[in-house]
Amino acid sequence: MRREDVPPLLVRAADQLSEPDLADAAWAAGLKVRRRRRRITLAGVILVFVVLLIVSITIEVGSRGNADITPPNRLQHTPRDYLAPAGQIAGIDFWVAPPPGSERFLDRLETPLGDRLELPRKVHPLAKHKLDSVAAVVLVKNGDGYEPLLLGRDGSWSEAAVQLAPVDEGSPLSPGAVSPDGKVVAFAQPGKLVVVDASTAEISQYDLPAGDFRSVSWLEDDQRILVSGPGVAYRVLVGEGGDGEPPLVRIEGSNDPEAITAPFRIETGHLMRYLVTGQWMEENPLTLPVRSWVGQTFSSGSGVARLFVAEKLPQVPTMRSQPQGVAAVSTLSMRPSRLLILGEPFAGSAQTPVGAGDPSYVREPGCCEVLGWYDQQNVLVQVRGWVLAWDLDSGQVRRVTELAVGQLALGPGLRP
């Protein structure tokens, strides 16, 4: 082929090719540029935001410390029925409980205790009707002794086959009788400790040195019990325990037997923690105007509660009664402590109008005590003729049950 034949052939081949769409090519190139610019702009905005956030946090931490990273309390949920405190006592917010005679008109907290707790008409032998979780324990007088009746979570009653002797010429039932898992109940007796396993109906006895023992309190492990009398106390091993652990260990006692509780106890001036050595360590100081403490200290996951008889309180003046209060002391720095002051009857007549409710009365010192915790926020308090629940979050007080029985101990079977 000659050189002069090549150009005509190239022209002929080009005529057979389709012409490129220059508009489409330009549009596609423009979109790529636009997307690239958007990505660059977005990345720049995010980078500026991150830098400003880091600078802000650095300034806050540098000026006031790491504690300010914690969200403020005002962001916490406030219950709809929140009741503002009546004031402060020793720097602690306090609420005033509904006056005696008004309990029947309070909202009710549903529990297996029912609206009125009285001795049951139908009781099963515990050996034939075992309970997986005890809600309450009461005693029935039988001659010179007492027989324990156990209320289960399902509302049924069982009777343990054991006769209990009086303690200090009275009932041997301690408010801390029920184990934390709700399966076992313990009773202080002269020279021994009696333990009833509601889940197996097994009854065990543990010998104690001679002494006037009145109070029992379980350790959180369900394996050990503190049993105490005036000036003397022992830790009793009722479970497996550790290698070589003795079944009975003498621990530091108190003139007030009901003060011996674990894992905490409230004493005048201090909140105290129980140590495995059998001693108590001072945790936090308390400056409450306390004349005396009543009943046991009960612990929850975040606080402890005990009832006290107060000196005169200028914040809550009384005409006919000695002021009494429930101290719910927080064991966590993030939660405040709170007080519930038991009020006086309505001013005027010493009795409410006929048919309007129960008789009004003055709450004498010793009439009332803490019975435990319903849950992390509700303290259970026994007053004359009633068990009440005080909600720490809202400040409200509800009735749990009317009492037609004597001494009472509550357990975790109370909760649904």
Side-chain angles (χ1 to χ4, degrees), residues 294 307 324 342 363-370 381-384:
V294 179
L307 189 137
Q324 298 182 78
L342 303 183
R363 289 171 173 150
E364 300 292 345
C367 69
C368 315
E369 64 181 331
V370 173
V381 184
Q382 179 178 344
V383 297
R384 181 178 172 182

Side-chain angles (χ1 to χ4, degrees), residues 38-266:
R38 284 182 176 177
R39 288 195 294 268
I40 293 173
T41 302
L42 180 60
V45 171
I46 293 175
L47 180 60
V48 171
F49 177 77
V50 171
V51 171
L52 291 176
L53 181 62
I54 293 174
V55 171
S56 175
I57 293 176
T58 303
I59 293 174
E60 288 293 317
V61 173
S63 62
R64 294 193 295 176
N66 291 334
D68 287 346
I69 300 176
T70 304
N73 290 333
R74 64 177 178 271
L75 297 180
Q76 296 179 358
H77 173 69
T78 300
R80 281 187 176 182
D81 58 348
Y82 177 75
L83 181 66
Q88 286 195 335
I89 297 174
I92 302 176
D93 288 343
F94 77 89
W95 284 256
V96 177
S102 67
E103 293 91 349
R104 191 175 301 280
F105 305 107
L106 301 176
D107 292 336
R108 182 171 166 237
L109 177 65
E110 294 288 341
T111 69
L113 303 178
D115 191 53
R116 177 181 169 89
L117 183 64
E118 53 190 352
L119 295 179
R121 297 180 180 177
K122 183 178 181 180
V123 180
H124 308 278
L126 183 59
K128 296 183 179 180
H129 187 72
K130 303 175 181 65
L131 305 174
D132 65 338
S133 186
V134 175
V137 182
V138 299
L139 297 181
V140 176
K141 193 78 165 64
N142 185 5
D144 294 333
Y146 297 85
E147 295 177 351
L149 302 183
L150 313 181
L151 175 65
R153 188 195 300 272
D154 60 356
S156 63
W157 288 89
S158 294
E159 181 179 3
V162 61
Q163 184 85 353
L164 300 173
V167 171
D168 192 28
E169 300 181 357
S171 166
L173 180 60
S174 175
V178 185
S179 63
D181 64 4
K183 297 182 181 298
V184 188
V185 183
F187 303 94
Q189 290 283 269
K192 62 184 176 181
L193 177 72
V194 175
V195 174
V196 177
D197 191 326
S199 63
T200 64
E202 181 180 357
I203 299 174
S204 305
Q205 297 187 8
Y206 300 85
D207 291 334
L208 300 173
D212 182 17
F213 299 105
R214 306 177 188 178
S215 177
V216 297
S217 174
W218 286 82
L219 271 66
E220 294 178 296
D221 58 12
D222 301 296
Q223 303 293 309
R224 299 164 181 84
I225 302 174
L226 305 184
V227 56
S228 57
V232 62
Y234 290 90
R235 186 181 69 231
V236 184
L237 177 64
V238 297
E240 296 181 359
D243 293 338
E245 181 179 354
L248 188 68
V249 177
R250 182 158 184 165
I251 62 174
E252 182 182 347
S254 170
N255 291 331
D256 177 8
E258 293 185 308
I260 305 301
T261 58
F264 293 96
R265 79 190 225 197
I266 301 178

Side-chain angles (χ1 to χ4, degrees), residues 307 326 368-371 379-383 386-390:
L307 189 137
V326 177
C368 315
E369 64 181 331
V370 173
L371 292 182
V379 181
L380 299 171
V381 184
Q382 179 178 344
V383 297
W386 296 88
V387 175
L388 305 177
W390 172 36

Side-chain angles (χ1 to χ4, degrees), residues 264-398:
F264 293 96
R265 79 190 225 197
I266 301 178
E267 288 277 19
T268 300
H270 291 91
L271 170 65
M272 308 182 77
R273 180 192 295 270
Y274 173 78
L275 304 176
V276 294
T277 58
Q279 307 296 316
W280 274 265
M281 179 180 70
E282 294 181 359
E283 285 275 307
N284 300 318
L286 292 176
T287 57
L288 296 174
V290 176
R291 174 175 293 184
S292 62
W293 292 95
V294 179
Q296 293 187 344
T297 300
F298 285 91
S299 301
S300 71
S302 59
V304 296
R306 194 181 186 190
L307 189 137
F308 64 95
V309 179
E311 303 291 350
K312 289 296 183 181
L313 298 175
Q315 301 90 337
V316 190
T318 55
M319 299 296 294
R320 293 177 285 172
S321 63
Q322 184 73 31
Q324 298 182 78
V326 177
V329 180
S330 175
T331 57
L332 300 176
S333 59
M334 66 187 68
R335 288 183 62 91
S337 298
R338 300 176 186 270
L339 302 174
L340 178 69
I341 305 301
L342 303 183
E344 278 196 314
F346 289 115
S349 173
Q351 178 136 345
T352 53
V354 176
D358 296 333
S360 182
Y361 57 88
V362 174
R363 289 171 173 150
E364 300 292 345
C367 69
C368 315
E369 64 181 331
V370 173
L371 292 182
W373 294 75
Y374 177 78
D375 52 24
Q376 296 292 322
Q377 69 186 48
N378 281 277
V379 181
L380 299 171
V381 184
Q382 179 178 344
V383 297
R384 181 178 172 182
W386 296 88
V387 175
L388 305 177
W390 172 36
D391 190 325
L392 301 185
D393 286 347
S394 68
Q396 296 284 352
V397 176
R398 290 176 287 176

